[in-house]
Amino acid sequence: MTAPVRTARGSEELIRAEEPVLAHNYHPLPVVVARAEGAWVEDVEGRRYLDMLAGYSALNFGHRHPALVEAAHRQLDRLTLTSRAFHNDRLAGFAERLAALTGTDMVLPMNTGAEAVESGIKVARKWAYDVKGVPADRATIVVAADNFHGRTTTIVSFSTDETARSGFGPFTPGFRIVPYNDLAALEAAVDETTAAVLIEPIQGEAGVLIPDDGYLAGVRELTRRKGCLFVADEIQSGLGRTGHTLAVEHESVVPDVVLLGKALGGGIVPVSAVVGRRDVLGVLHPGEHGSTFGGNPLAAAVGTAVVELLETGEFQRRAAELGAVLREGLAALVGRGVVGFRARGLWAGVDVDPALGSGREISERLMREGILVKDTHGSTIRLAPPLTVTAEELTGALGTLEKVLTS
Ligand SMILES: *Cc1c(COP(=O)(O)O)cnc(C)c1O
């Protein structure tokens, strides 16, 4: 990146300008980004920051990956939207490649993560009525406490985060909440009305909580034995982040349905999908579900380019190799401002000594040192750099974290 992007207003002025006109549903760090490339972003004053959040994993391939930008440009010059009233020449290839990448049969293309979750819920319920034979309107879905699956009214209905829920009722019935990482509780909650167990293989928003080894395999065994679906929300954990294409691969588990989003759009357009076996996704018939933008040719072109990047295995390998660097670096900080951490691949939840500040305060201090991160709860910060980050950039960021925590 060369000369800074020129804007009529500076950072502080732009932040002040948002206040009266922008709904206050976020509390961003006080940085105004104007440009980005790879793992780096630049603010309107030309200051550079290493992006250690990567759009909550929407930017797994970094900002403006050349192959993705090229795919988008090429498609912009040809065809952007048809709606599903007509076919478009990009969708079949995208669905074929994505199904092959994730080892399954069928793809239901949507746009945002929350829509993929909503669509997964609808598919699971329809499957329960049409295939399993659950009496009409009686289907239940078992979910985990401290989940994050998005922000729609149905999804917040089964959130345990009061801030996300409170004030948005009445809520959608049909969900049972059990503790995460607790197979006995799951066993007790699943009955003949259960359409699906819906969980995150790693709970991202909860602080990158990694279940015990055997939990995901246990969920697979239990759901198969009890005759309900295993729906894995891989919207944040999937597409290379953990060192595998899907986080469930750590336990060699194949869910019935996988929900994808975030990185599927390459950081360019919102692209999400429900992927699963034909005997499950096949329950949908024309008119029963849809989306004006889902499967649009621009999304399909970018999504195909994303799948092509993942087919090389390079990003999964990088996440695994650099993940070791991240873990080692964090281990060295335990007792030096870090009280504990959980990490898998290039993804970590870091619990900072609360005496040193809230996660928000630590994030602000890191920002002033040129590192962008995001707190989750309390004094936990989350690290999820683009998978294109270099080992030097990563160790540099860990050095900055050490400086911020020990100075
Ligand atoms: C981000 C996220 C969602 C929601 O995705 P949106 O695109 O923000 O709607 C759902 N599930 C998980 C695990 C996520 O991380």
Side-chain angles (χ1 to χ4, degrees):
M1 288 183 280
T2 51
V5 171
R6 287 188 164 279
T7 56
R9 296 185 280 184
S11 290
E12 282 180 26
E13 217 184 324
L14 284 165
I15 291 169
R16 267 200 311 276
E18 287 185 357
E19 212 281 330
V21 289
L22 206 55
H24 298 172
N25 58 326
Y26 277 94
H27 179 36
L29 287 176
V31 55
V32 182
V33 176
R35 182 160 59 172
E37 184 176 334
W40 292 87
V41 305
E42 189 182 289
D43 73 8
V44 297
E45 279 81 24
R47 287 179 292 251
R48 282 163 54 89
Y49 306 81
L50 185 67
D51 183 355
M52 292 286 286
L53 176 65
Y56 304 90
S57 289
L59 291 155
N60 276 2
F61 313 99
H63 293 267
R64 298 168 48 239
H65 188 287
L68 304 181
V69 169
E70 198 199 318
H73 276 156
R74 266 209 312 264
Q75 192 59 39
L76 277 173
D77 288 336
R78 192 146 73 75
L79 175 73
T80 56
L81 187 69
T82 51
S83 86
R84 296 286 303 278
F86 316 124
H87 298 270
N88 74 68
D89 69 334
R90 301 310 307 255
L91 192 48
F94 173 51
E96 283 166 352
R97 305 281 288 263
L98 183 60
L101 179 78
T102 54
T104 190
D105 306 327
M106 263 188 167
V107 172
L108 169 61
M110 300 297 289
N111 310 283
T112 65
E115 284 176 301
V117 175
E118 288 275 352
S119 305
I121 290 167
K122 286 178 71 177
V123 165
R125 285 179 168 182
K126 191 79 168 36
W127 176 87
Y129 301 127
D130 291 5
V131 179
K132 182 168 172 169
V134 172
D137 297 338
R138 296 288 302 280
T140 55
I141 292 178
V142 182
V143 299
D146 301 315
N147 68 72
F148 182 85
H149 296 289
R151 301 297 199 163
T152 64
T153 38
T154 285
I155 294 171
V156 300
S157 294
F158 57 88
S159 171
T160 56
D161 176 350
E162 269 314 300
T163 310
R165 236 175 93 86
S166 169
F168 300 113
F171 298 113
T172 305
F175 297 94
R176 291 180 186 159
I177 304 172
V178 297
Y180 189 59
N181 195 26
D182 184 339
L183 286 171
L186 198 58
E187 178 94 39
V190 171
D191 65 17
E192 67 284 352
T193 67
T194 305
V197 172
L198 164 63
I199 54 159
E200 299 156 84
I202 293 176
Q203 288 191 321
E205 300 301 307
V208 192
L209 300 188
I210 302 171
D212 295 338
D213 279 343
Y215 177 67
L216 299 173
V219 174
R220 179 64 286 185
E221 185 280 324
L222 188 157
T223 48
R224 189 168 282 140
R225 173 164 47 82
K226 296 247 196 177
C228 68
L229 302 175
F230 178 6
V231 181
D233 181 346
E234 293 257 13
I235 290 167
Q236 195 165 161
S237 59
L239 306 181
R241 174 57 55 192
T242 65
H244 290 278
T245 302
L246 300 177
V248 288
E249 290 173 45
H250 281 274
E251 294 196 23
S252 306
V253 161
V254 181
D256 302 295
V257 173
V258 173
L259 311 176
L260 298 170
K262 293 205 164 94
L264 193 56
I268 297 177
V269 282
V271 186
S272 69
V274 181
V275 301
R277 287 198 319 275
R278 188 164 292 112
D279 60 296
V280 179
L281 281 180
V283 299
L284 291 181
H285 304 107
E288 292 173 347
H289 191 57
S291 162
T292 304
F293 289 94
N296 72 74
L298 181 60
V302 173
T304 303
V306 163
V307 172
E308 278 171 10
L309 291 182
L310 287 165
E311 282 168 353
T312 67
E314 179 197 334
F315 295 89
Q316 296 90 324
R317 203 156 46 239
R318 286 188 70 86
E321 286 168 10
L322 292 168
V325 175
L326 180 62
R327 268 196 312 281
E328 257 172 58
L330 288 172
L333 292 181
V334 173
R336 297 176 53 74
V338 169
V339 294
F341 70 91
R342 301 153 298 282
R344 182 158 284 168
L346 266 179
W347 200 17
V350 183
D351 303 327
V352 171
D353 181 353
L356 297 174
S358 64
R360 170 74 186 198
E361 287 159 349
I362 302 295
S363 303
E364 288 179 1
R365 271 180 251 162
L366 282 167
M367 185 202 82
R368 287 194 286 274
E369 299 290 334
I371 306 286
L372 297 183
V373 302
K374 174 76 174 77
D375 54 301
T376 54
H377 299 283
S379 287
T380 300
I381 57 173
R382 145 197 19 214
L383 304 178
L387 310 181
T388 56
V389 75
T390 65
E392 294 69 36
E393 289 165 341
L394 201 53
T395 47
L398 289 163
T400 306
L401 179 60
E402 177 172 21
K403 181 179 151 192
V404 159
L405 295 178
T406 55
S407 67

